[in-house]
């Protein structure tokens, strides 16, 4: 049977195997409310799960690619199957005099697994949120609009959305996990939601895309701030735990695209370093940086001793410790010093075949130093595309771009466009 006949009748060729029951094509003539009701029931009982990518690509891939961002609703999400699981972690002795030889688990992560009605992309996306946040960042916006998860589900991507270890639904275990801290509301206003009011860096005044005024007392801001949770203080500890849990996740699900944001930017590189055959691409939304030293917000202390990570990476020529990485100062300005490896730079050999997209908004503090982070990667042999949103006609965004008014425009014109060019 030809593809156009398949689209007309709604019946798969006999040589293919559908995960949908044979009676579903007849549902096309049923009233819309009945179709939705039955589809929901099927989701509950696990009747539909994942259509094999080969079938989707052969039958409906072109239709999926042609879906435009305008098809997505701000209030009605995309039909999908939701489940969750935990992965990673280890048992540790539990000090309880009344229960000898007992143990508790720590370091595991909660993973929300979203599967669209039709999986049309061969690789899933693993989404890792930033500091103080949870996986809910990608589900919907603080004012109730659909989020990036709906966009990518609509494009046929299977999604795995994490809560970082020792945070939110990934439990923090007293006596095992390190101390935590939380952002106060003023810090959130200054850095993320109302940067234009404070002008703490040169481009801050360009921020226009946050919904609402971005200040305490505004309904949207209050909704966002109430979603913020305590995070581990130590970036070394969070890096080690997220790397280990991320490795366990990739070993479970197989090859994937890894999407990081902000703090979790420093986790994507070690994941690819540890599993270069499983991380097929990294999309880094304003990743933590710059190399070797903090910037913009005091104290401007030494950080990320392996360049963009707190944990060791595999370099060539090899190193025994971070002190083997010789550095040079490339440029210096108020609150930011760009430091790179001394030339010739050692190579991040396990990342050489992992394509990377770095995305920087027009008004975020990352506009100051993301180019320095990108240059570190390129000198280390990593293939990086760096998109400054204003250069492609997308203006006014800040650090939380996936929550802002034009979030689908970014996902469609930048992220998915880049992915479609490569896979």
């Amino acid at each position: 049977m030809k593809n156009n006949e398949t689209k007309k009748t709604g019946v798969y060729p006999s040589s293919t195997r559908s995960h949908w029951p044979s009676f579903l094509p007849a549902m096309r003539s049923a009233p819309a409310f009945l179709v939705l009701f039955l589809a929901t029931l099927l989701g509950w009982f696990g009747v539909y799960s994942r259509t094999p990518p080969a079938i989707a690509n052969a039958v409906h891939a072109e239709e999926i690619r042609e879906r435009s961002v305008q098809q997505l609703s701000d209030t009605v999400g995309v039909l999908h199957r939701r489940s969750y699981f935990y992965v990673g972690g280890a048992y540790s002795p539990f000090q309880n005099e009344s229960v000898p030889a007992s143990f508790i688990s720590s370091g595991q992560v909660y993973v929300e697994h979203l599967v669209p009605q039709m999986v049309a992309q061969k690789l899933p996306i693993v989404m890792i949120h930033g500091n103080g946040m949870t996986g809910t960042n990608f589900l919907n916006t603080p004012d109730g609009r659909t989020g990036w998860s709906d966009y990518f589900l609509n494009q046929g991507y299977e999604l795995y959305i994490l809560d970082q270890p020792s945070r939110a639904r990934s439990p923090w275990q007293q006596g095992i996990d390190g101390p935590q801290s939380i952002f106060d509301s003023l810090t959130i206003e200054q850095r993320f939601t109302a940067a234009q009011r404070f002008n703490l860096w040169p481009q801050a005044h360009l921020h226009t895309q946050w919904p609402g005024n971005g200040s305490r007392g505004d309904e949207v801001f209050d909704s966002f701030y109430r979603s913020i949770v305590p995070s581990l203080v130590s970036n070394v500890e969070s890096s080690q735990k997220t790397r280990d849990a991320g490795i366990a996740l990739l070993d479970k699900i197989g090859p994937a695209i890894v999407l990081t944001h902000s703090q979790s930017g420093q986790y994507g590189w070690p994941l690819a370093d540890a599993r270069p055959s499983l991380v097929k691409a990294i999309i880094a939304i304003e990743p933590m940086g710059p190399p070797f030293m903090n910037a913009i917000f005091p104290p401007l202390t030494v950080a990320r001793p392996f360049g963009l990570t707190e944990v060791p990476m595999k370099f060539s020529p090899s190193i025994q410790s971070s002190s083997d990485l010789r550095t040079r100062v490339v440029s210096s300005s108020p609150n930011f010093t760009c430091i790179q490896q001394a030339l010739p730079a050692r190579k991040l050999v396990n990342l050489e075949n992992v394509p990377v997209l770095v995305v920087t908004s027009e008004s975020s503090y990352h506009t100051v130093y993301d180019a320095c982070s990108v240059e570190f990667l390129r000198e280390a042999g990593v293939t990086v595309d760096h998109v400054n949103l204003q250069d492609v006609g997308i203006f006014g965004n800040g650090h939380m771009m996936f929550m802002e008014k034009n979030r689908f425009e970014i996902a469609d014109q930048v992220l998915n466009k880049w992915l479609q060019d490569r896979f």
Side-chain angles (χ1 to χ4, degrees):
M1 183 178 291
K2 297 179 181 178
N3 283 354
N4 60 350
E5 293 174 337
T6 300
K7 293 177 183 178
K8 183 181 295 184
T9 63
V11 180
Y12 287 107
S14 58
S15 61
T16 63
R17 183 183 64 198
S18 173
H19 283 224
W20 286 78
S22 59
F23 66 80
L24 280 183
M27 291 173 59
R28 293 188 178 216
S29 61
F33 73 88
L34 180 58
V35 173
L36 180 60
F37 175 72
L38 289 175
T40 302
L41 285 179
L42 292 172
W44 286 340
F45 289 101
V47 175
Y48 82 81
S49 56
R50 173 175 178 160
T51 302
I55 295 176
N57 288 336
V59 181
H60 289 299
E62 192 61 32
E63 292 179 358
I64 295 291
R65 284 195 295 269
E66 290 174 356
R67 290 176 179 172
S68 67
V69 68
Q70 286 76 23
Q71 289 178 285
L72 285 171
S73 167
D74 269 348
T75 56
V76 180
V78 175
L79 183 64
H80 66 277
R81 171 85 181 274
R82 174 189 175 275
S83 61
Y84 75 90
F85 58 90
Y86 283 79
V87 70
Y91 284 103
S92 300
F94 181 56
Q95 302 302 321
N96 188 335
E97 295 179 359
S98 61
V99 185
S102 59
F103 296 82
I104 58 175
S105 179
S106 64
Q108 65 268 28
V109 293
Y110 170 90
V111 182
E112 191 147 335
H113 183 202
L114 307 181
V115 185
Q117 175 181 345
M118 179 70 71
V119 176
Q121 310 294 343
K122 65 180 181 179
L123 292 171
I125 301 177
V126 174
M127 296 179 161
I128 312 177
H129 59 82
N131 197 14
M133 310 296 159
T134 71
T136 60
N137 275 188
F138 303 112
L139 296 178
N140 55 261
T141 65
D143 55 339
R145 292 169 296 127
T146 47
W148 271 10
S149 63
D150 278 291
Y151 173 83
F152 286 106
L153 288 168
N154 190 55
Q155 296 298 315
Y157 287 96
E158 186 176 3
L159 305 179
Y160 296 90
I161 305 175
L162 277 63
D163 283 354
Q164 282 190 36
S166 311
R167 190 189 308 187
R169 291 166 291 188
S170 302
W172 177 87
Q173 301 290 20
Q174 186 174 6
I176 295 177
D177 296 325
Q180 296 178 308
S181 64
I182 192 167
F183 285 119
D184 62 84
S185 61
L186 179 60
T187 298
I188 297 296
E189 292 179 35
Q190 290 174 332
R191 300 184 185 185
F192 305 147
T193 62
Q196 69 279 5
R197 288 179 41 226
F198 299 93
N199 286 318
L200 298 183
W201 57 90
Q203 298 83 0
H205 69 283
L206 298 172
H207 189 212
T208 61
Q209 292 287 354
W210 180 262
N213 67 28
S215 302
R216 186 167 57 91
D218 176 78
E219 183 177 1
V220 179
F221 176 87
D222 292 346
S223 175
F224 175 52
Y225 186 72
R226 287 164 185 153
S227 74
I228 292 170
V229 298
S231 305
L232 292 171
V233 172
S234 169
N235 272 315
V236 175
E237 182 183 8
S238 63
S239 294
Q240 293 168 338
K241 291 178 182 295
T242 306
R243 176 196 59 195
D244 294 346
I247 290 171
L249 175 62
L250 290 172
D251 288 345
K252 177 182 177 71
I253 68 174
I257 298 157
V258 175
L259 187 153
T260 64
H261 172 243
S262 193
Q263 180 201 31
S264 69
Q266 65 184 324
Y267 309 147
W269 322 127
L271 273 180
D273 191 47
R275 293 295 185 271
S277 65
L278 298 181
V279 177
K280 295 302 183 181
I282 295 174
I283 297 177
I285 308 298
E286 302 199 342
M288 176 172 274
F292 300 110
M293 180 175 286
N294 288 325
I296 310 300
F297 308 114
L300 306 181
T301 52
V302 172
R304 296 171 292 284
F306 297 93
L308 291 177
T309 69
E310 296 284 355
V311 295
M313 299 282 289
K314 183 176 180 179
F315 285 90
S316 179
S318 62
I319 61 173
Q320 299 302 313
S321 69
S322 60
S323 62
D324 293 336
L325 290 176
R326 296 183 300 112
T327 61
R328 72 189 197 277
V329 174
V330 174
S331 64
S332 185
S333 59
N335 295 331
F336 166 53
T337 299
C338 181
I339 303 173
Q340 301 288 0
Q341 290 191 71
L343 297 176
R346 297 173 189 262
K347 305 302 181 184
L348 290 166
V349 290
N350 285 341
L351 273 65
E352 288 181 340
N353 295 317
V354 179
V356 172
L357 172 66
V358 173
V359 180
T360 306
S361 67
E362 182 184 35
S363 74
S364 167
Y365 56 90
H366 277 258
T367 59
V368 176
Y369 60 74
D370 272 1
C372 181
S373 299
V374 167
E375 187 59 25
F376 174 86
L377 292 169
R378 287 174 175 166
E379 289 187 356
V382 184
T383 301
V384 186
D385 292 312
H386 184 199
V387 175
N388 292 288
L389 292 183
Q390 68 274 18
D391 293 341
V392 294
I394 301 176
F395 302 101
N397 287 103
H399 190 54
M400 307 300 292
M401 62 183 75
F402 43 82
M403 293 182 174
E404 298 192 312
K405 290 181 283 188
N406 61 345
R407 70 218 178 280
F408 287 159
E409 183 181 11
I410 298 166
D412 189 64
Q413 296 185 20
V414 181
L415 276 63
N416 194 44
K417 183 178 184 296
W418 185 82
L419 288 172
Q420 293 304 311
D421 287 343
R422 278 150 189 81
F423 301 105

